Amino acid sequence: MLVFPRFAIASGLADHVLDAVATSAGARCVDTGEAHLATRVAEAMDRLHEWRPGSDPWWDLAHWPALRGQCAAVRSWEDAVGDPVTRWEALTHESGREPRERFRLLVGVGLDDLEGSPLDRTPSLHVSVRWWWGVVDRLDTELYLSGRDPDPLAHAEAVEVTAWALEGSCGGGTDGHALATGLPRAVREHDRTPRTHRQAPPPEIRPHWDLGLVELWDGRYRPVAAADPEGEERRVLRWRAQVRLLFPYLEEHRVRILREFLPKALTVGVAPGFGDVWELGDMFGQGRRVGLSLATYDHLKVARDVRNDLAHGRPAEPRQVELLREKIPL
């Protein structure tokens, strides 16, 4: 089963995803209609001319030799799928076939279309439940966005802020204010609880997942930043992007300046800072005393200001970043 949030179903995204998965799995998609769903499954499998259902059409499908090893895709937002979802594992098990030889159903479901128990069942050899989280992995996002923006910092921020849709829209006309006020503390605190399986959202998160307000990113839950462009979550993600990109350059810059600074500091007897390490701020504070050039002193000031912001959990201001990039080309 593939479980989709309501906004993905309403926008048609769920249909596109299910069609893509069906194509990959070699499944036939079942069309809507007035006939019984099992009859339309037989039609989708090009077996309608042979279809002679008895009193239990789902039993007939599961045991039909002509469908051995094949697969059909159905949607809960078009048809009631509770009966086959509840019974399918037992029915196919009764058929006595090996797992690869059983007729399979690929079922797309909405959160409110089934009782909770089938969605929370323990995965088995015969049944698996996958929840749609949109983008969940940094590498896939990096590859998708590669080449779109030659500015490395803008690219880093785009990767961090990605959400349900890579274009930056969480869909469904979500109220951005709800992101700041609608997520209970338990949702944020839940991410600190050790879990072995995060793919299925816990009950306290599901109403927000269903609205597209929560995403799974790099193995952790987080509010969708795209729903609140100027909010706290967006600010934190901008800071992460800057830390990821700028910190290595700042450290390289510190080492380069140290090569000029250290001989002069030793000459005038200036001792290093705490831990015998010359940080950017330490060198800036002693720059005039050791006789650094004005250009190097200016570099130190800009680099120190940006690093201080990042070290205190704040994204650097755009003007400071631009000044830094004039000194240290990225």
Side-chain angles (χ1 to χ4, degrees), residues 119-135:
L119 300 182
D120 291 313
R121 61 170 297 150
T122 302
S124 69
L125 177 64
H126 313 294
V127 176
S128 64
V129 180
R130 301 290 296 178
W131 295 71
W132 172 252
W133 283 101
V135 177

Side-chain angles (χ1 to χ4, degrees), residues 4 12 16 53 72 78 85-86 96 104 139 142 176 188 208 221 244 251 257 276 325 329:
F4 294 96
H16 289 299
E78 294 179 352
V85 165
T86 303
R104 295 167 294 142
L139 178 58
E142 289 273 11
R188 295 178 182 273
H208 309 285
Y221 300 121
R244 182 180 294 273
E251 182 60 18
I257 293 177
D276 294 332
R325 297 175 70 169

Side-chain angles (χ1 to χ4, degrees), residues 36 38 51-65 67 83-84 87-88 90-97 103:
H36 188 281
W51 180 234
R52 302 292 183 272
S55 59
D56 188 348
W58 293 115
W59 190 97
D60 295 326
L61 277 180
H63 290 75
W64 199 359
L67 299 182
D83 190 26
R87 302 177 56 206
W88 197 250
L91 289 174
T92 54
H93 183 73
E94 290 172 7
S95 70
R97 299 172 187 161
F103 179 49

Side-chain angles (χ1 to χ4, degrees), residues 111 120 131 133 178 181-195 197-198 200-215 221-223:
L111 187 61
D120 291 313
W131 295 71
W133 283 101
T181 61
L183 295 178
R185 183 174 181 178
V187 174
R188 295 178 182 273
E189 292 296 324
H190 181 85
D191 195 56
R192 303 179 184 178
T193 304
R195 294 260 175 166
H197 179 60
R198 289 178 176 269
E204 64 268 31
I205 290 181
R206 289 181 189 180
H208 309 285
W209 170 87
D210 202 27
L211 293 174
L213 292 175
V214 182
E215 64 183 353
Y221 300 121
R222 73 178 188 185

